[in-house]
Amino acid sequence: IIIRVGLRKELADSLSSCRVLVVGAGGIGCELLKNLVLTGFKNIEVIDLDTIDVSNLNRQFLFQKKHVGKSKAQVAKESVLRFCPSANITAYHDSIMNPDYNVEFFRNFQLVMNALDNRAARNHVNRMCLAADIPLIESGTAGYLGQVTVIKKGQTECYECQPKPTQKTFPGCTIRNTPSEPIHCIVWAKYLFNQLFGEEDADQEVSPDTADPEVAWNPADAAARATASNKDGDIKRVSTKEWARSTGYDPVKLFNKLFKDDIMYLLTMDKLWKKRKAPLPLDWTEIHQLESSQEEAFGTGLKDQQVLGVQGYAQLFHRSVETLRSQLIEKGEGAELVWDKDDPPAMDFVTAAANLRMNVFSMNMKSRFDVKSMAGNIIPAIATTNAVIAGLIVLEALKTLNSDFDQCRTIFLNKQPNPRKKLLVPCALDPPNPNCYVCASKPEVTVKLNVHKTIVQALQDKILKEKFGMVAPDVQIEDGKGTILISSEEGETEANNNKFLSDFGIRNGSRLQADDFLQDYTLLVNLIHSEELEKDVEFEVVGDAPDKAPAPSVPEEGKNIANGNKDSAQPSTSSKAAAEDDDVLIVDSDEEPSSSTMEASPESSNRKRKHHDADTDATASKRKRLDQQPADDDEDIIALD
């Protein structure tokens, strides 16, 4: 009641009749739902596929311990109705990317508010709101940092108008042969978990990489020189999982294979160690002959924040392998486990394996807490930040519904006050980017690839879905015949999947029309054939090179920063295993230029960057630069796929 006193009667009355959609019921979503009903909104629909985890309870105040395992959307609805029984709330425990939530569904609302945690879902909602011509309020938080902005078709930049920083990745040879940072060892350990207990992925191999371009050696000669035992198929095995099964997942054999035999094999690659410190193999028997006094934990405080010795991590490795082996047996033949940072045995395994590898490569080992932070790409969530951002969402919603769109702003919440003592920084909304491949009148992109090496499946999964955010694309070749290359109807073009693009007459200069009927979105794809792509690069988007994207304020995947695991490409509203991390851009100024011209720097605020360069497709950064972060930032957001 107190809140509504400040609203004009017409606006206050309209709140009770308008329908709004809230996408996400997590950290921001809980605060937002509370704010909406207390402001006077009566007709609210909320969607989220996640279930409540114990780790949510410190900030998602609509949930209690008794709710763990239940639907976030449903429990959020029930909790809100307790202090506002007159509200009409509909909850969906579902994915916003489900085809049921089509353009017509979105047209039922006057306003959509995102409280999401990943780029894939944000891209999708952005496109659905553009197709339905419904205003969207986008938001995100990362620790003490936050942002709110308004997106309106034809008037502002859409969520995808500017290139996003690409996911930070590491070359396979670095992960497998020459790790130099703890994060490399943590990535390796997560790969190892999948290779042993989860879904095998050829791109996540953990054995020494004999194809490392730095090596330039003769594997046949080196194999003879290696002192590693081949008794269990250490070098000649078909796959890590097959070999592990043949040993019965024997923890000691696994240990010696991974931390002794493979390391001794790496040592035969002489050239790798001419300018690097060579790794030091570990032997199970020798480790357990150490005096226990040498194996005391370092550091004080909580157990998770202590660093164990080599023997301690060897024992943790042994225990976790036995536990995970038992879980596999219980699940039955052909079962697979899914790595989850909140699953103790899985987290123990990655902590132990990563630290043992760190020791092998002469790095300082990390506590379980630190490993979990890096393995889960976690930036601690701050409840107050979520509350502030949720309040700003409602303020921008009121302006939008009151037709005061010219008063809407992008608002940044910063960690430190700027020179004018402000934490909240408003910026004028940017107009649409005419070259945007989503909201332009005729979206079009140019992709460089090798038509003789790129298969249809890669075009669909890696280019159209992963890069360009489509959900169910239909692709037609503009060859005068209307040849259907990819169909969203299951099984219709499955025979094409493993064929090369050139098999369909696609060559340099070919054009493809990709349609996603769920998103009401059509993209024209111009193809440039090239045989000179860099090693391990399957395609390049011309005019959208990684070095032209904004630099992130915290190393991270795309525009997504915060509380969770980035392994899954699925959003939290479409995958229970997906992580919880919210989107945020950071600036530090209190002027009101357009938000994309802001220079983000904690030391100097009112500097501006050059606007978008149409010729080079260079874009202004809304974030702090990477070089402002510590060299070994434990909250590094990295790609693990």
Side-chain angles (χ1 to χ4, degrees):
I1 297 175
I2 296 174
I3 294 175
R4 296 191 64 190
V5 168
L7 301 179
R8 288 189 303 106
K9 184 177 185 303
E10 295 85 350
L11 177 58
D13 291 342
S14 70
L15 298 186
S16 62
S17 59
C18 75
R19 296 180 65 184
V20 297
L21 174 65
V22 175
V23 187
I28 296 175
C30 284
E31 295 285 350
L32 178 58
L33 288 167
K34 173 259 297 179
N35 289 349
L36 288 173
V37 295
L38 293 179
T39 304
F41 288 86
K42 295 294 185 183
N43 299 295
I44 303 167
E45 300 191 21
V46 58
I47 182 167
D48 196 313
L49 184 56
D50 274 358
T51 54
I52 298 162
D53 188 82
V54 173
S55 62
N56 303 146
L57 302 182
N58 71 326
R59 64 194 180 282
Q60 298 174 23
F61 73 99
L62 296 179
F63 311 141
Q64 299 174 29
K65 190 173 182 179
K66 65 182 179 182
H67 297 135
V68 170
K70 295 183 178 180
S71 161
K72 283 188 176 181
Q74 188 61 41
V75 174
K77 167 190 171 178
E78 294 168 1
S79 298
V80 168
L81 287 176
R82 285 198 187 94
F83 54 84
C84 190
S86 62
N88 177 26
I89 303 175
T90 303
Y92 303 92
H93 180 59
D94 205 350
S95 164
I96 192 61
M97 299 172 82
N98 186 319
D100 291 342
Y101 309 111
N102 54 22
V103 175
E104 290 306 313
F105 172 81
F106 275 80
R107 286 183 178 141
N108 291 323
F109 305 100
Q110 281 72 56
L111 186 62
V112 176
M113 287 165 271
N114 268 352
L116 281 163
D117 58 9
N118 67 93
R119 189 198 299 180
R122 285 183 166 96
N123 286 347
H124 182 70
V125 175
N126 174 60
R127 296 177 189 196
M128 300 304 289
C129 288
L130 291 172
D133 197 9
I134 302 299
L136 168 65
I137 300 180
E138 180 59 79
S139 66
T141 61
Y144 293 99
L145 309 172
Q147 174 202 341
V148 173
T149 193
V150 182
I151 298 169
K152 186 168 174 60
K153 183 178 181 179
Q155 296 188 43
T156 74
E157 279 188 345
C158 78
Y159 177 72
E160 299 169 81
C161 267
Q162 301 297 340
K164 309 295 190 300
T166 54
Q167 218 171 358
K168 184 175 180 181
T169 59
F170 304 108
C173 54
T174 299
I175 298 299
R176 296 166 64 180
N177 289 1
T178 56
S180 59
E181 301 175 24
I183 191 63
H184 298 155
C185 299
I186 293 169
V187 172
W188 178 87
K190 289 189 69 176
Y191 285 0
L192 178 63
F193 177 92
N194 288 333
Q195 298 295 74
L196 290 175
F197 307 106
E199 182 179 357
E200 290 183 277
D201 185 337
D203 293 331
Q204 296 185 355
E205 184 54 67
V206 294
S207 298
D209 182 8
T210 58
D212 189 332
E214 243 190 292
V215 174
W217 65 317
N218 185 332
D221 293 342
R225 291 156 56 196
T227 57
S229 168
N230 196 32
K231 182 179 177 181
D232 289 316
D234 293 332
I235 295 169
K236 298 177 182 178
R237 68 187 183 279
V238 175
S239 74
T240 303
K241 181 175 285 187
E242 183 177 325
W243 175 81
R245 284 174 176 166
S246 74
T247 71
Y249 284 98
D250 185 293
V252 176
K253 289 183 178 180
L254 279 173
F255 182 97
N256 283 331
K257 166 69 189 68
L258 296 164
F259 305 110
K260 184 180 77 171
D261 293 350
D262 276 357
I263 303 307
M264 294 172 75
Y265 193 63
L266 276 175
L267 288 171
T268 67
M269 303 181 188
D270 308 80
K271 291 191 177 182
L272 290 178
W273 317 114
K274 287 185 176 179
K275 296 182 179 179
R276 295 183 179 91
K277 183 174 181 179
L280 302 171
L282 295 174
D283 181 87
W284 178 267
T285 304
E286 292 178 3
I287 287 174
H288 286 78
Q289 291 174 347
L290 293 172
E291 293 294 331
S292 59
S293 61
Q294 298 178 31
E295 293 301 319
E296 294 178 359
F298 301 101
T300 58
L302 298 175
K303 183 179 178 182
D304 275 9
Q305 295 177 335
Q306 296 178 345
V307 178
L308 307 180
V310 175
Q311 189 182 85
Y313 283 124
Q315 292 170 347
L316 183 62
F317 179 86
H318 191 287
R319 290 196 302 271
S320 61
V321 168
E322 289 188 325
T323 303
L324 294 169
R325 176 179 60 190
S326 299
Q327 290 180 358
L328 270 182
I329 293 172
E330 289 176 10
K331 284 179 172 284
E333 185 67 27
E336 293 175 346
L337 303 181
V338 177
W339 190 84
D340 184 345
K341 70 183 189 308
D342 294 316
D343 177 47
M347 194 63 239
D348 285 345
F349 177 85
V350 168
T351 300
N355 273 301
L356 290 167
R357 191 164 172 88
M358 288 179 216
N359 182 270
V360 164
F361 286 90
S362 302
M363 300 176 211
N364 291 328
M365 294 186 289
K366 297 287 185 179
S367 68
R368 191 179 192 274
F369 179 86
D370 288 337
V371 173
K372 184 174 182 178
S373 294
M374 287 189 273
N377 306 326
I378 298 171
I379 293 176
I382 307 298
T384 307
T385 308
N386 290 336
V388 171
I389 292 302
L392 292 170
I393 293 172
V394 174
L395 292 177
E396 294 304 305
L398 294 176
K399 296 177 192 175
T400 303
L401 294 173
N402 199 37
S403 300
D404 291 332
F405 194 76
D406 57 341
Q407 299 298 315
C408 290
R409 296 287 182 268
T410 295
I411 306 171
F412 299 94
L413 172 62
N414 289 341
K415 186 175 182 179
Q416 299 292 338
N418 65 9
R420 298 191 182 185
K421 311 299 182 185
K422 291 186 178 180
L423 286 172
L424 290 175
V425 182
C427 297
L429 299 173
D430 287 310
N433 176 2
N435 298 316
C436 177
Y437 64 75
V438 174
C439 68
S441 57
K442 293 183 178 180
E444 187 170 341
V445 292
T446 299
V447 177
K448 184 189 294 185
L449 47 70
N450 189 325
V451 298
H452 304 300
K453 294 183 178 180
T454 304
I455 62 173
V456 173
Q457 186 85 51
L459 171 69
Q460 173 183 279
D461 295 344
K462 296 186 177 181
I463 299 178
L464 298 178
K465 288 186 176 180
E466 186 176 323
K467 176 63 182 177
F468 295 120
M470 291 185 161
V471 176
D474 292 277
V475 180
Q476 177 178 308
I477 306 172
E478 292 197 347
D479 55 2
K481 304 174 187 177
T483 303
I484 302 298
L485 186 66
I486 298 171
S487 172
S488 58
E489 294 295 327
E490 187 174 352
E492 198 167 287
T493 55
E494 192 172 324
N496 296 347
N497 286 352
N498 294 313
K499 294 181 180 179
F500 296 108
L501 298 185
S502 56
D503 294 339
F504 298 88
I506 295 174
R507 58 187 186 278
N508 188 56
S510 292
R511 290 155 66 92
L512 308 176
Q513 180 175 307
D515 297 290
D516 192 314
F517 294 106
L518 171 61
Q519 297 178 340
D520 194 15
Y521 173 54
T522 298
L523 179 65
L524 184 64
V525 182
N526 300 294
L527 297 180
I528 296 177
H529 170 68
S530 174
E531 297 183 2
E532 299 178 354
L533 294 172
E534 294 181 16
K535 185 179 182 293
D536 297 329
V537 174
E538 295 185 62
F539 69 92
E540 291 179 1
V541 179
V542 177
D544 187 17
D547 61 322
K548 294 175 183 176
S553 62
V554 179
E556 43 94 27
E557 196 268 340
K559 285 178 71 175
N560 309 322
I561 306 179
N563 333 316
N565 177 354
K566 265 294 170 283
D567 281 352
S568 174
Q570 295 296 319
S572 66
T573 49
S574 65
S575 170
K576 293 182 180 181
E580 182 186 334
D581 50 282
D582 305 323
D583 191 21
V584 63
L585 305 180
I586 311 304
V587 299
D588 188 13
S589 172
D590 59 357
E591 296 183 358
E592 279 203 4
S594 61
S595 60
S596 70
T597 62
M598 300 299 296
E599 170 73 42
S601 168
E603 289 84 17
S604 57
S605 64
N606 305 313
R607 290 182 293 165
K608 301 180 185 178
R609 293 181 114 177
K610 190 185 296 183
H611 224 318
H612 185 277
D613 186 326
D615 296 324
T616 64
D617 202 30
T619 57
S621 171
K622 299 181 183 180
R623 300 176 181 269
K624 296 177 183 174
R625 294 173 180 263
L626 280 171
D627 57 16
Q628 295 167 355
Q629 297 297 320
D632 59 343
D633 188 353
D634 285 355
E635 295 174 353
D636 200 9
I637 301 284
I638 49 101
L640 299 176
D641 53 19

